[in-house]
Structure formats: C-alpha cells, structure tokens
Amino acid sequence: MDVAECTKLSDGISAPLWMFWKRRRYIVVFLAFFGFFNVYSLRVNLSVAIVAMTENRTIEHPNGTVSYEQEFDWDSTTKGYVLSSFFYGYIFTQLLGGYISNALGGNYVFGVGVGMTALLTLLTPLAAHGGYGWLIAVRALEGFFEGVTFPCIHAIWSRWAPPSERSRMASITFSGVFTGTVVSMLLSGVLADTVGWESVFYLLGAFACLWFVAWMLIVRRSPEADPYITPKEKEFILATTKRTGTGTGTGASDRVQHPWGAILTSGPVWSLIVASFAENWGFYTLLTQLPTFLKDTMHFELQTAGFLSALPYLVLGLQLSFAGYLADLCQIRGWLTTTQVRRYFNCGAFLAQTVFMMVGALVLKPGPTITCITIAVGCGAFAWCGFAVNHLDLSPKSAGVLMGISNTFSTVAGILTPIVSGQLTRNGDENEWRTVFYIAAGIYLVGCVTYWFGASGELQPWSIEAREKETEQTTRHQSQRQSQQQQQQQQDLAMESTKCRNRN
C-alpha cells in the first residue's frame, strides 16, 4: 500500500499524535528514542572523559613545590586508537544484527545489545586503570553489542511502522541519537570536572540498565504479539504493512531468504552505502574530536568545551523531528515522490554540510567556526530523512540486512576518523585541524554526487516483496486460466450433450 492509500485508513484512535501513550506503536517509538539515547550517550562519553583523563593536573607537594602530571599519559595517537576501539567490535555485528533480528525478533536483540553495553560501561573505569589495552578491549566489546542496534530497529519498524509514518517514526527514534549525544557531552563535562571522570560511566551506565528493564517488559516483536494494543490499531498496522509486504507474524514464516546477489549488485543500495559512509565520516570526526579541538586548539575550559561540543547535536536533534514530519508531508500531499524526498533532502543537506565545513575550516576562529560546525551538523537532520530511512523503501523485509550492510561501511568511517585525525593533529595547530575539516567536506561532496545520481525510493525488482507480488500475480493468472479452461470444458460438454440429444 502506498503512502496516499495509507492516509485513507484510520487506527480508530481519536487522540492527537502527541499523546503518544494512546497508540501502542508510539510507545515503541518513545522507548526506542531512549534506546538510541543510551546507544549514543554510552558511545560518546569517552570523547569528553578522555580529555579529563589525559589533561595536566596540578599537584602540590608537601615541600611547597608544584608539579603537573597526567593521570593517563597518552599521546594523540594513543587517544586516537582508544577512541576508535569501540568500532573494532561494532563492525562485526552489523550484518549479524540484521540477520538475527529477523530470526529472533528485533526487540529482543535491540534490548540485549543496549543492556550489555550498559554493563560494560560500568566496567570502563576499572578497565582504564588496568591500562589502555584493557580499555580498548572493553570498548571493543561495547561496540560488538551495540553494533546490532541500528539493523534491529529497521526490523522493528518493518513490523510496526505504516508507510505514511515511516519518516516520522524513524526520525523521532533517531533524534534519540543526538539527544543522547548532547546530554552525554554536557553531563560528562560537568561530572568529570566536579565529581571525577569515573562518574561519567557509572551514571550513564546505570540509566541504560534501567531502560533495559523497561524495554524488555513493554516492547513486543510485532503488533500481533502485543497483548495491550487495541484491535483497531493492530488492524490498521497490519492492513498498511501487509499490502506492502512488511507485515509479519511471529513464527518461522518470518524467516526470509534475502537475495544477496541482487542486493550486492544494486545501484540504489551502493548509493545508500556511499551516502551513509559520507554522513558518518563527518559525524564521527566531530563526535570524537570536537571536545579535543575546542580545548586544545580553541583553548576552552573542559566544561565549556563539553557544552560547545553538544551544541551542534542539540540543533540536529531539534531539527530531526521537523525534517521527518516534512518528509512525510511532502509524500502525503503528493508534492514529491519518495525518490525525490530522499534525494532532495539528503543531497541538499550534504551540499550545505560541504560548504559550512569548508568555511569553518577556512576561518578557524572560535565564534565563526563553531557556528559553521553547528549549522553543518544541524543540516544532517535532513540527510537522515534520506539515507537513514531509504532501506525501508528498497525492501522492507530486507531493511535490517540493508542497514547492516550500510552501517558496516559507516563503521569503517568510525574506525578511521579518530586514527586519521590523531595522526594529522599531533601538534594540535590550526593548519592540521583545517586538513581534518577539509577531508570531511570533500567526503560530504562525494556522497552528495553519488546519492543524487543513484538513489531510489521505490520498491526494488529484486526485493522479497516484489517477488512475492509477482508470485501472487502468477498464481492468480494461473487460477484464472484454470477457471477459464474449466468453463470451456463445461461448455464443450454441454454442446456435446446437446448434439447427442439432437441425434437421438
């Protein structure tokens, strides 16, 4: 069922959409929002904490002398490896997450992924005191468990999201990414400066553990498995998703055979992969390096650096819900096709990000540079309404796997950006940081051009849904032919019978 047809149906609930607790699917959205809040708060906390862990501290000795020392004497290269270590594990569970979420249920895998990351976060201070090798190992394990989250959420939305609400539901959920980033950066700076850097991991890890309990108790795999959903809302979701091939039950029939060859040779899939890589290169560059850049090069205090590092993601989070609503509205009103929405939103954002990253790097003054970075990151809200939702357009039943593939390549960006930035900024001077920002701008531009010419928002011919529809049509045609043949046989028999009577 296309978007326009979906709007003709009703879920039977008269309450406005902002009363999310009235609709079961939006309770799932609400909890998924906080799931991604935790995903990113646990991911980025080290970016701020590591500044406190490695900064020079003033030590007053009994004899009255003063010295300066670091709790962890790590150079920029070592810090780069520590910050990128999360992605060493993250890259291995992207495809796995998409596959097992189809088999076991995205809700279970998503919950366990975040829950295990929370437990490992609580162990991070202990690992750090054991040496950076132990810290790298724990962070890699965190990445391993967190790697399933993005593929899983697409498996969840393939069962819960009507086509007319996909962009909105996904954008609200993904805004948790940036809200978590903002809160984590702000809170980490304050906690590290006032209580101690260890408290960053204890507080955020404990909150994520509480979320895990709520998620596992409330969220079900699909509307059919939810005992608290109203019959009318369940019928609405099933009616809108089953006709697009996305409605699924809870049994073995949900286990599908993905057309791997067609997926890996699909132009729209590779355009999506390039766009995802480009956005995440810029995103992870700033996510991991911005606090260090602001403190060491722009000479801000730690708390101020934490606040300013959070500002771009605050803007992004605020814009994302609006961008998702606008994307859905453009389709519902018929102003743009799905392909046009994905292309215009994504490429327009990439082009703006290219320009503002280059201007910010060229000027490299605190006020103008922070403004340019904030605008560039904020524009990413519109890009997320392009590439981040596009998997569901191409093949809803394979969306989790498609997300796993694209996020695998995005993870390569997460691994490389801290290492590349660490190697390029050994002295921390302005020209070194300019190079970092120019590289990000260039990659945005490549993503823009590639996605513009290769993107599609249509169900692909190789998709499971298209093949099921073709099989259904073939079966229907065969039934019609059989019916016609039976009618012809009956007519022939009737004519023979008439001829026999006439002879007699």
Side-chain angles (χ1 to χ4, degrees), residues 395-444:
S395 178
K397 281 190 177 179
S398 296
V401 167
L402 294 177
M403 185 62 172
I405 294 171
S406 64
N407 225 28
T408 298
F409 285 88
S410 300
T411 304
V412 174
I415 293 172
L416 293 178
T417 51
I419 296 173
V420 171
S421 299
Q423 293 288 343
L424 291 175
T425 59
R426 290 183 176 182
N427 300 315
D429 64 48
E430 293 184 355
N431 287 329
E432 290 176 338
W433 282 104
R434 279 196 178 96
T435 303
V436 171
F437 294 142
Y438 285 149
I439 290 172
I443 291 175
Y444 277 134

Side-chain angles (χ1 to χ4, degrees), residues 244-397:
T244 58
T246 64
T248 52
T250 58
S253 60
D254 288 342
R255 300 179 185 181
V256 295
Q257 296 294 321
H258 301 287
W260 291 104
I263 287 174
L264 295 176
T265 55
S266 170
V269 169
W270 281 102
S271 298
L272 170 60
I273 289 170
V274 172
S276 182
F277 179 89
E279 176 63 21
N280 280 280
W281 181 281
F283 182 81
Y284 287 130
T285 295
L286 296 174
L287 193 69
T288 58
Q289 301 301 315
L290 195 54
T292 300
F293 166 72
L294 292 174
K295 188 174 187 301
D296 294 348
T297 306
M298 297 286 103
H299 308 296
F300 288 103
E301 294 298 324
L302 180 58
Q303 285 193 37
T304 306
F307 171 77
L308 293 175
S309 297
L311 183 61
Y313 303 101
L314 176 62
V315 173
L316 178 54
L318 292 174
Q319 286 195 162
L320 193 56
S321 295
F322 166 74
Y325 175 79
L326 183 61
D328 280 340
L329 185 66
C330 288
Q331 295 176 79
I332 291 170
R333 296 291 177 85
W335 298 336
L336 297 172
T337 65
T338 302
T339 298
Q340 289 172 329
V341 166
R342 304 296 179 234
R343 182 180 291 145
Y344 296 166
F345 276 53
N346 198 101
C347 296
F350 277 6
L351 195 58
Q353 288 174 309
T354 300
V355 171
F356 283 105
M357 286 293 282
M358 291 186 69
V359 172
L362 186 64
V363 176
L364 215 64
K365 300 294 181 183
T369 297
I370 292 169
T371 300
C372 286
I373 288 174
T374 300
I375 295 173
V377 173
C379 288
F382 294 90
W384 277 71
C385 294
F387 77 90
V389 191
N390 201 189
H391 315 78
L392 289 163
D393 303 322
L394 303 181
S395 178
K397 281 190 177 179

Side-chain angles (χ1 to χ4, degrees), residues 11-206:
D11 61 8
I13 301 171
S14 58
L17 282 177
W18 65 265
M19 299 176 69
F20 67 89
W21 58 90
K22 298 286 187 179
R23 292 173 171 84
R24 198 67 181 174
R25 65 189 184 278
Y26 280 96
I27 292 177
V28 177
V29 170
F30 176 77
L31 287 171
F33 166 88
F34 277 103
F36 278 102
F37 174 96
N38 290 317
V39 163
Y40 266 75
S41 69
L42 302 180
R43 184 182 304 191
V44 307
N45 51 17
L46 185 61
S47 298
V48 177
I50 201 169
V51 178
M53 293 163 69
T54 58
E55 70 177 348
N56 286 320
R57 298 184 300 169
T58 303
I59 307 296
E60 294 185 5
H61 299 282
N63 60 4
T65 60
V66 176
S67 64
Y68 301 93
E69 65 179 39
Q70 296 171 291
E71 184 171 358
F72 298 94
D73 187 14
W74 300 337
D75 59 20
S76 64
T77 301
T78 302
K79 287 191 287 185
Y81 283 114
V82 169
L83 288 171
S84 68
S85 60
F86 175 91
F87 300 99
Y88 302 164
Y90 191 75
I91 196 170
F92 287 107
T93 48
Q94 297 300 312
L95 280 174
L96 180 64
Y99 181 79
I100 62 176
S101 62
N102 280 328
L104 302 179
N107 59 318
Y108 295 120
V109 183
F110 185 79
V112 170
V114 180
M116 288 301 298
T117 305
L119 289 175
L120 289 164
T121 298
L122 296 174
L123 297 174
T124 299
L126 181 63
H129 285 297
Y132 70 83
W134 283 104
L135 179 58
I136 286 174
V138 168
R139 290 288 291 181
L141 278 174
E142 286 184 38
F144 181 86
F145 284 105
E146 209 173 276
V148 302
T149 53
F150 275 94
C152 281
I153 202 64
H154 275 61
I156 292 169
W157 293 148
S158 71
R159 293 166 169 83
W160 280 96
S164 59
E165 299 176 14
R166 278 179 189 162
S167 295
R168 189 183 320 159
M169 292 173 73
S171 62
I172 292 172
T173 299
F174 290 142
S175 65
V177 167
F178 312 110
T179 307
T181 300
V182 170
V183 172
S184 183
M185 284 186 164
L186 288 174
L187 198 58
S188 296
V190 173
L191 288 173
D193 213 27
T194 57
V195 182
W197 62 266
E198 294 94 339
S199 63
V200 172
F201 302 99
Y202 294 142
L203 182 63
L204 294 174

